[in-house]
Amino acid sequence: MTLTLVRFAHPNFFAVRGAYSARLFSTTRCVPYENILVSRPGPGVALITLNRLKALNALNAAHFNDISSALKEVDEDPSIGAIVMTGSDKAFAAGADIKEMKDKTFAETYMSNFLANWEVVSKLRKPVIAAVSGYALGGGLELALQADILLAAPSAKLGQPEVNLGVIPGGGGTQRLARLIGKSRTMEMVLTGRIVDAEEAERWGLVNRVVREEGGVVEAAVQMATEIANKGQVAVAAGKEAVNAAFDLSLAEGLRLERRLFHSLFATRDQKEGMAAFAEKRKPEWTHS
């Protein structure tokens, strides 16, 4: 059997492919973005890699426009069931590009509703997994916090140090952090600008888990995304909608929405197939309908 070493779009990430095994990775980019790489590391999975390496993936307007466009494209692609978003080994994203925003005025930021478009990740229908290595600071952490699942490498450093620049988080940091780790810890991070390491972030519940396995955080995220992509997309979308609603609705309203979504899935072909496959002790063949 012939083995071929396949280079993955993410730096330092390889896979061995056998002549008789299924193809594991494709490095074909969907569109020629300048600041990101887009690839399909497995069936039903899209990987978006932030690629402003010299700037530690600092998020300027052009960079974020690339990220936003790519996310919307893969979210609308019916062949994609889950999305992984990552950066480099040194930095997921070290924050917003301060040089680009330092001379902005109140009127300019207020009238343009500056940073309102940073909510793009939270509005996607497909599940998003953030795979964080190195620095995720300021806007970089705010971008990662919008993901549905956040995995961290042992090297991850997370923080909202905007207070050191005379401002506060403006892309959702104060709100999402408080919902994840509570008021006191959020106050500590926002008011002191303290950066927490991966171990502390895991203890606080800021990240799902720290990936210590040899394959690394991106491989773990791709494996999880592949598992999700192998489910029926209608049920996955409904599950994501129900969980997200828990942050906006009362318990009674959330339970009502959950039941309605549960009931509605009985109108799908996937529900019939999934339950039939279980009863017949076979794997389901999803049609995502």
Side-chain angles (χ1 to χ4, degrees), residues 45-59:
V45 177
L47 174 69
I48 295 176
T49 303
L50 280 59
N51 195 42
R52 276 191 85 208
L53 301 183
K54 292 182 179 179
L56 293 179
N57 287 326
L59 300 164

Side-chain angles (χ1 to χ4, degrees), residues 57-60 93-99 101 114-115 118 137-140:
N57 287 326
L59 300 164
N60 62 12
D97 193 326
I98 305 305
K99 293 180 181 179
M101 68 170 67
F114 183 50
L115 298 187
W118 280 44
L137 305 178

Side-chain angles (χ1 to χ4, degrees), residues 49-127:
T49 303
L50 280 59
N51 195 42
R52 276 191 85 208
L53 301 183
K54 292 182 179 179
L56 293 179
N57 287 326
L59 300 164
N60 62 12
H63 195 190
F64 196 83
N65 286 340
D66 279 357
I67 295 168
S68 178
S69 296
L71 285 170
K72 290 176 180 177
E73 179 186 358
V74 297
D75 194 48
E76 295 170 0
D77 187 337
S79 70
I80 296 297
I83 303 164
V84 175
M85 184 169 55
T86 192
S88 69
D89 291 336
K90 290 184 178 180
F92 175 80
D97 193 326
I98 305 305
K99 293 180 181 179
E100 186 178 70
M101 68 170 67
K102 66 183 181 64
D103 295 323
K104 289 183 180 292
T105 65
F106 165 74
E108 182 182 356
T109 56
Y110 182 69
M111 296 306 294
S112 67
N113 204 11
F114 183 50
L115 298 187
N117 63 338
W118 280 44
E119 293 296 303
V120 61
V121 178
S122 66
K123 295 178 180 179
L124 300 177
R125 299 293 301 276
K126 306 285 176 64

